[in-house]
Amino acid sequence: MIELENVGYNYGGGELLTNVSVKLAPGSFHFLTGPSGAGKTTLLKLCYGALTPTSGRVRAFNMDVQGLDRDQMAHLRRRVGVVHQDCRFLDHLPVIENIALPLIVSGKDLGGEEANLRELLNWVGLSSRADALPPELSGGERQRAALARSVILSPDVIIADEPTGNVDWEMSQRLLQLLVELNRMGKTILVATHDMALIRAAKNQVQARVLRISSKQLHLAGADL
Amino acid sequence: MSEGRLRKLIIGDAQADRVVPPSGFTAHLTLFASGAMAFLAVFALALSLASGRLADRWAEELARAATLRINAPLEQRDAQTRQALTILNQTPGVASARALSSEEQAALLAPWFGSSLPIDRLPVPQLIEVIEDEQGYDSTGLRLRLQAEVPGAVLDDHTRWRAPLVDAARALRRLGAVSILLIAGAMAAMVTLAANAALAANAQVIEVLRLVGALDSYIAHAFVRRFTLRALGGSAAGVALGMIGVWLMPEASNEGGFLTGLGFQGWGWLLPLLIPLLAAAVAFMATTRAANKRLGDLT
Ligand SMILES: Nc1ncnc2c1ncn2[C@@H]1O[C@H](COP(=O)(O)OP(=O)(O)OP(=O)(O)O)[C@@H](O)[C@H]1O
Ligand SMILES: [Mg+2]
């Protein structure tokens, strides 16, 4: 699905990542971990095309991401659901419309999706908050709304950046549950987190591989977790 | 632009319209400015049309008729008049030449001397009306010939004072046309500024829309539609007010001359109705350019 080949990245102040090669196979579940500032968010952005690598190549769905024009990039975004670390929403629209935003901008008929949308809201436990505005949500509610928005177009790949950053243990278990269910439906999942307990909990439920960024490189973490 | 896109632009998509937050300030500015511009454009158009009509009419009337005056002693007047008429009838470019009868001449003089003037016995010059045909005659050649054969004849072909008047009317028409172009340009500049302000104010919104997979054309469309409709609405109101203003002006009359003729006539009243369409087209192009430029600058 997504493939990085000898990718390097540099914001201008020296190399942040060098020689990163990884392949996200269809239906796989990956965790990405590493200390704060190691470059987890950067690596995820490289995967969904928000950043172009300073060296190496990124391929998504067998297309060279660097070669895509803006319209092709927009279409790529529809095939990759992203939960951003800072969950961006349109603050003037209620939660339900924010979740439906990918449908709206891709010109889909909302009438036919109404039932799906309600079900999805129910699934992330936001039915009662459907008409609230994003600034009125708690951190955990925002992250669940972001997760709902990332899956509304039923993408093949879901990339989540610290989806449990703002929530308590119980809520993070629920979010993990949602991701595991998506994986069982055949979605490819990549989750950045520094929460080891979450990774351990996930290992009981799915075949998850753990990637760790240390000294600018990506390593496959062993069973030492 | 295809018909489908045009229909979508006008009818719009209620959902798509909501993704960009309503912006009260630029909306009102755009409405007001396009209204004011359209109002001015109506007057520039009226001025241009009226002076164009005037230039055409003057040029037409004055070019066609000339007067030949025979200043001769009473006993030679008839002979010279006959001689002049013979020459005129031989001149190529003269459609007809006719000596005014003494009654006609008396009627011309009546406002000054009263109607009881014994015109036959006075040394009043004889007037001959000369009507040109399409090609027109060579007035210098005609003058030379008359000078040689009819010493008392003076050809007054109005050219001396006709030319600057017609030029002035034509210059007014040009000024009107240039004003309309300037108004359109100023409107494009204003819409561009307002659209840029709106795009900048909504940078966050644009970013989120890109993140969830919106095409540039979708984002641009949301802005373009708004500004086009605002320009259309504002200028329609401006045109309506301007047309009422023109309509309230006095009717054209002979006494009032140029000033009272300043208005629309017949089909001319339909012309200002094109202004809102033009304004919408200008706004459409200006916003499309601004949006595409801005979106193209993003990475
Ligand atoms: N736009 C940017 N310009 C310059 N430097 C940046 C930019 N974004 C991130 N960085 C730097 O790159 C490094 C990696 O940032 P990144 O956000 O990828 O870290 P992270 O692993 O996601 O951290 P965290 O766990 O805190 O989210 C940091 O040192 C950060 O300061
Ligand atoms: Mg991060």
Side-chain angles (χ1 to χ4, degrees):
Chain A
M1 295 260 120
I2 295 184
E3 203 178 332
L4 276 65
E5 258 174 58
N6 298 322
V7 166
Y9 195 79
N10 174 351
Y11 279 110
E15 286 285 292
L16 179 64
L17 296 169
T18 46
N19 239 333
V20 171
S21 296
V22 69
K23 212 177 199 170
L24 305 184
S28 62
F29 196 123
H30 284 88
F31 282 106
L32 177 62
T33 183
S36 178
K40 298 184 293 294
T41 300
T42 307
L43 187 64
L44 296 187
K45 284 183 176 168
L46 288 165
C47 288
Y48 61 83
L51 293 175
T52 35
T54 38
S55 65
R57 281 201 320 159
V58 177
R59 296 175 61 78
F61 307 104
N62 294 320
M63 293 178 297
D64 216 328
V65 172
Q66 282 106 305
L68 301 181
D69 63 25
R70 287 177 63 82
D71 282 357
Q72 288 170 321
M73 187 62 81
H75 285 111
L76 173 65
R77 297 270 166 84
R78 295 180 192 174
R79 298 180 68 182
V80 180
V82 180
V83 180
H84 301 90
Q85 190 165 10
D86 52 356
C87 325
R88 313 269 195 75
F89 295 109
L90 295 183
D91 288 345
H92 65 286
L93 292 183
V95 170
I96 185 158
E97 282 183 64
N98 264 291
I99 291 176
L101 201 57
L103 288 173
I104 297 172
V105 302
S106 53
K108 299 249 162 56
D109 176 33
L110 278 192
E113 303 278 346
E114 180 76 34
N116 264 342
L117 201 53
R118 292 281 160 197
E119 193 186 333
L120 185 60
L121 267 176
N122 209 24
W123 187 61
V124 295
L126 284 177
S127 298
S128 59
R129 303 295 280 143
D131 297 318
L133 293 178
E136 300 164 2
L137 297 184
S138 74
E141 286 171 335
R142 287 171 72 83
Q143 285 187 314
R144 282 180 280 153
L147 181 62
R149 185 180 69 183
S150 73
V151 300
I152 186 91
L153 282 179
S154 146
D156 306 316
V157 182
I158 292 151
I159 294 180
D161 196 353
E162 308 272 8
T164 58
N166 282 319
V167 298
D168 61 17
W169 176 245
E170 206 171 313
M171 182 55 70
S172 70
Q173 287 298 298
R174 269 189 67 189
L175 282 167
L176 178 66
Q177 208 52 49
L178 298 178
L179 289 166
V180 168
E181 279 176 38
L182 287 165
N183 183 243
R184 290 200 177 126
M185 288 156 71
K187 313 284 184 198
T188 310
I189 313 272
L190 173 59
V191 182
T193 182
H194 49 236
D195 186 348
M196 291 304 154
L198 185 76
I199 297 177
R200 263 179 242 117
K203 285 208 151 184
N204 297 327
Q205 306 178 47
V206 282
Q207 270 256 304
R209 309 215 308 163
V210 180
L211 307 164
R212 173 190 296 280
I213 302 178
S214 66
S215 54
K216 302 175 190 171
Q217 301 259 351
L218 190 66
H219 305 279
L220 187 60
D224 55 318
L225 279 164
Chain B
M1 192 164 45
S2 76
E3 198 187 319
R5 269 192 68 201
L6 187 65
R7 185 172 325 123
K8 203 170 143 219
L9 184 78
I10 295 167
I11 300 169
D13 167 354
Q15 275 296 343
D17 222 25
R18 284 170 51 78
V19 301
V20 180
S23 49
F25 188 57
T26 49
H28 292 144
L29 276 186
T30 314
L31 270 175
F32 170 75
S34 38
M37 291 296 177
F39 188 82
L40 294 177
V42 171
F43 286 103
L45 190 64
L47 176 74
S48 186
L49 287 179
S51 46
R53 272 198 306 272
L54 206 64
D56 291 347
R57 202 177 68 219
W58 283 347
E60 171 92 358
E61 282 174 3
L62 298 173
R64 282 293 147 82
T67 317
L68 190 68
R69 209 164 63 237
I70 312 282
N71 286 321
L74 212 51
E75 60 276 13
Q76 285 175 32
R77 197 166 67 182
D78 282 351
Q80 287 205 12
T81 303
R82 269 195 306 281
Q83 177 67 7
L85 281 172
T86 317
I87 292 172
L88 284 170
N89 286 332
Q90 291 166 354
T91 309
V94 172
S96 69
R98 181 180 69 88
L100 297 191
S101 66
S102 48
E103 291 78 32
E104 281 173 308
Q105 301 224 81
L108 282 176
L109 291 172
W112 285 276
F113 300 113
S115 49
S116 55
L117 201 68
I119 203 163
D120 293 332
R121 273 172 282 130
L122 288 172
V124 173
Q126 171 66 48
L127 298 179
I128 299 175
E129 184 191 59
V130 183
I131 307 286
E132 266 182 70
D133 66 10
E134 293 296 325
Q135 283 83 40
Y137 56 85
D138 165 20
S139 65
T140 327
L142 182 60
R143 274 211 181 83
L144 286 173
R145 194 167 168 206
L146 286 168
Q147 213 169 26
E149 300 181 30
V150 192
V154 178
L155 178 67
D156 182 359
D157 61 358
H158 312 282
T159 328
R160 279 189 312 277
W161 61 278
R162 175 188 75 201
L165 273 182
V166 173
D167 283 352
R170 290 203 172 123
L172 264 181
R173 171 167 58 184
R174 269 198 306 278
L175 276 181
V178 169
S179 304
I180 291 173
L181 287 181
L182 286 178
I183 288 170
M187 167 125 180
M190 184 274 307
V191 171
T192 304
L193 287 176
N196 269 320
L199 287 161
N202 288 303
Q204 295 280 352
V205 170
I206 293 173
E207 209 185 317
V208 173
L209 290 175
R210 285 288 308 175
L211 285 177
V212 299
L215 296 175
D216 281 350
S217 57
Y218 179 90
I219 300 170
H221 184 86
F223 288 93
V224 168
R225 176 166 186 275
R226 281 196 184 181
F227 280 94
T228 306
L229 292 184
R230 278 173 203 160
L232 187 68
S235 57
V239 164
L241 291 177
M243 283 175 77
I244 292 174
V246 170
W247 181 65
L248 288 179
M249 289 187 60
E251 290 279 316
S253 68
N254 283 330
E255 296 77 38
F258 170 69
L259 268 181
T260 55
L262 197 63
F264 299 108
Q265 281 176 9
W267 290 103
W269 281 102
L270 294 181
L271 227 42
L273 301 181
L274 293 177
I275 292 176
L277 295 181
L278 201 71
V282 166
F284 176 84
M285 286 186 286
T287 326
T288 305
R289 263 195 67 210
N292 286 342
K293 183 163 183 313
R294 191 136 201 135
L295 291 168
D297 287 346
L298 298 175
T299 45

